[in-house]
Amino acid sequence: MKDSNSLGLIVGEHPDRESWAHPDEAINLRLWLRLATCSTLIENALRGSMRADFGTTLPRFDLMAHLSRSPRGMKMSELSRCLMVTNGNITGIVDQLERDGLVERNKANTDRRSSVIMLTPEGRQYFRRLSEAYRARVAELFSPMDNEAQNDLFALLAKLKEAIRPQCQAINEAPR
Amino acid sequence: MKDSNSLGLIVGEHPDRESWAHPDEAINLRLWLRLATCSTLIENALRGSMRADFGTTLPRFDLMAHLSRSPRGMKMSELSRCLMVTNGNITGIVDQLERDGLVERNKANTDRRSSVIMLTPEGRQYFRRLSEAYRARVAELFSPMDNEAQNDLFALLAKLKEAIRPQCQAINEAPR
DNA sequence: TATTGTTATACTCTATAACTATA
DNA sequence: TATAGTTATAGAGTATAACAATA
């Protein structure tokens, strides 16, 4: 049986973030809302896994993931750019991970203002388990989609990213 | 000039959420991270616009958007499903909008447990201005991408949504 | 003067669980 | 018994702005 809203109209089996945009709306609006819906669905699933199985969060995972690829560490400002959040947030997340013994701060030799963040051996081991579960969950989620479609989608999203980046940058560099 | 990380390696002009996933990673992981990156870029841009120009937030916009398509109102539980968040959150957002005179709660005739949320005339007028700005911003962001690519992307995301939905639902219905 | 990172503040969103009032 | 919504709690992320240390 189909769901219906208060109007009694059929709105589809699964109302979600994009269901307010009718078919006559501009394709760009519908596209964005569908993108947001997919992203929310996946993010909710992954957040749940990370929390239930490891008691950790997505931003913490993201930060460790970047560190895991930079054996010699990363500066706070690099992490800020990679995670696409402001500097103060990175301080907070690094604080938590440091408290848990998963990362460490070291003063940079060249520039004494900046510190270099690295995974500790424990952090490295912990992240290995974490990322295994993460990868498994992502693989499971995407498994019903055939490989060709995934590759097409990957390529189209590259196009999209290229299209929006300059404008998003302009925003971030706007006067405040 | 290209950016480089602490290792001195070229990491691309614009490090972001997907830059830790190397080309030899599974396509599903790379795809998810790119999706997340695009979603974050756009969401940050829109959040900034909504905040700077109207002092409001994306969840509030989303909620009003759904209401704007349901002239006779929506139940709290319907809103919860549409925004893909839990019930308590909807109470909070509706509280704020009600305080600002943008929405109103009415008791349902049929079931006195539930209330029906509607935009007030002021809310309707306010949302019109809001959504104009929102649509313009989205249109601007997507404008460098040709229409055919947008349509292809839209269709592929439908496939993705169909693929992940059953699993995401299973999660939401799992015992707690 | 500009940059790196921290601190302090305030706000928003989020999930969970206990609760009420209805059904 | 089950459902609709609220309340209370706790925690996480976020931006902004002011600040210290260094470049």
Side-chain angles (χ1 to χ4, degrees):
Chain A
M1 190 179 80
K2 286 185 183 272
D3 284 342
S4 60
N5 65 10
S6 303
L7 271 168
L9 297 174
I10 303 303
V11 294
E13 310 260 354
H14 304 291
D16 57 31
R17 290 185 65 185
E18 68 169 298
S19 41
W20 67 274
H22 294 185
D24 61 329
E25 293 272 12
I27 182 65
N28 56 55
L29 180 64
R30 301 187 72 203
L31 175 49
W32 155 237
L33 294 175
R34 181 163 293 176
L35 183 66
T37 300
C38 289
S39 190
T40 302
L41 281 168
I42 299 168
E43 203 154 313
N44 284 350
L46 292 174
R47 180 188 302 133
S49 295
M50 287 295 104
R51 182 171 176 174
D53 300 342
F54 297 93
T56 195
T57 66
L58 257 16
R60 293 208 263 256
F61 177 87
D62 282 358
L63 197 149
M64 286 189 276
H66 283 279
L67 288 183
S68 77
R69 291 301 196 175
S70 296
R72 297 190 213 168
M74 294 173 74
K75 293 195 295 181
M76 300 291 280
S77 47
E78 286 176 327
L79 287 168
S80 165
R81 272 194 298 277
C82 284
L83 299 205
M84 302 162 77
V85 296
T86 53
N87 233 313
N89 297 323
I90 299 296
T91 298
I93 300 177
V94 167
D95 282 350
Q96 298 168 348
L97 294 173
E98 195 179 26
R99 221 176 295 129
D100 292 344
L102 300 172
V103 307
E104 61 187 15
R105 270 180 246 239
N106 294 301
K107 276 292 158 200
N109 300 330
T110 49
D111 183 339
R112 277 151 55 205
R113 286 173 308 181
S114 64
S115 49
V116 175
I117 318 301
M118 296 175 56
L119 284 175
T120 61
E122 299 75 41
R124 196 161 291 282
Q125 193 181 351
Y126 177 74
F127 178 73
R128 210 157 0 210
R129 291 197 301 128
L130 215 56
S131 75
E132 251 173 59
Y134 188 94
R135 284 160 204 276
R137 198 79 192 81
V138 173
E140 185 188 351
L141 283 168
F142 282 78
S143 60
M145 195 178 194
D146 61 87
N147 236 270
E148 194 188 334
Q150 291 193 39
N151 278 297
D152 291 349
L153 190 45
F154 187 68
L156 278 170
L157 286 173
K159 268 193 168 183
L160 175 59
K161 200 166 85 166
E162 208 178 327
I164 63 183
R165 170 108 58 197
Q167 305 168 72
C168 293
Q169 268 197 317
I171 288 171
N172 286 333
E173 285 157 10
R176 311 199 180 193
Chain B
M1 191 178 82
K2 285 185 184 272
D3 285 342
S4 61
N5 65 10
S6 303
L7 271 170
L9 297 175
I10 302 303
V11 293
E13 310 260 355
H14 304 292
D16 58 30
R17 291 185 64 187
E18 67 169 298
S19 42
W20 67 274
H22 294 186
D24 61 328
E25 294 271 13
I27 181 64
N28 56 55
L29 179 65
R30 300 186 74 205
L31 175 50
W32 155 237
L33 293 176
R34 180 162 294 176
L35 183 67
T37 299
C38 289
S39 189
T40 302
L41 281 168
I42 299 168
E43 203 154 314
N44 284 350
L46 292 174
R47 180 189 302 132
S49 295
M50 286 296 103
R51 182 170 175 171
D53 300 341
F54 296 94
T56 195
T57 65
L58 258 15
R60 291 208 265 257
F61 176 86
D62 282 357
L63 197 150
M64 285 189 278
H66 283 277
L67 288 183
S68 77
R69 291 301 196 175
S70 296
R72 297 191 216 166
M74 293 173 75
K75 293 194 295 180
M76 300 292 280
S77 46
E78 286 177 327
L79 286 168
S80 165
R81 273 194 297 277
C82 285
L83 300 204
M84 302 163 78
V85 297
T86 53
N87 233 313
N89 298 324
I90 299 296
T91 297
I93 299 176
V94 167
D95 282 349
Q96 298 167 349
L97 293 173
E98 194 180 26
R99 221 175 296 129
D100 292 344
L102 300 172
V103 308
E104 60 185 17
R105 273 179 243 240
N106 295 299
K107 276 292 158 199
N109 299 329
T110 49
D111 184 339
R112 275 152 57 204
R113 286 174 307 181
S114 64
S115 49
V116 175
I117 318 301
M118 295 176 54
L119 284 175
T120 61
E122 299 75 42
R124 196 161 292 281
Q125 192 181 351
Y126 177 74
F127 178 73
R128 213 162 352 215
R129 291 196 302 127
L130 215 58
S131 75
E132 253 173 58
Y134 187 94
R135 283 161 205 273
R137 197 80 193 78
V138 173
E140 184 189 353
L141 283 168
F142 282 77
S143 60
M145 195 178 193
D146 61 86
N147 234 271
E148 194 188 335
Q150 291 193 39
N151 277 296
D152 291 349
L153 190 45
F154 187 68
L156 278 170
L157 286 173
K159 268 193 168 182
L160 175 59
K161 200 166 86 165
E162 208 177 327
I164 62 183
R165 170 108 59 198
Q167 303 168 72
C168 293
Q169 268 198 316
I171 287 171
N172 287 332
E173 284 158 11
R176 315 206 172 183

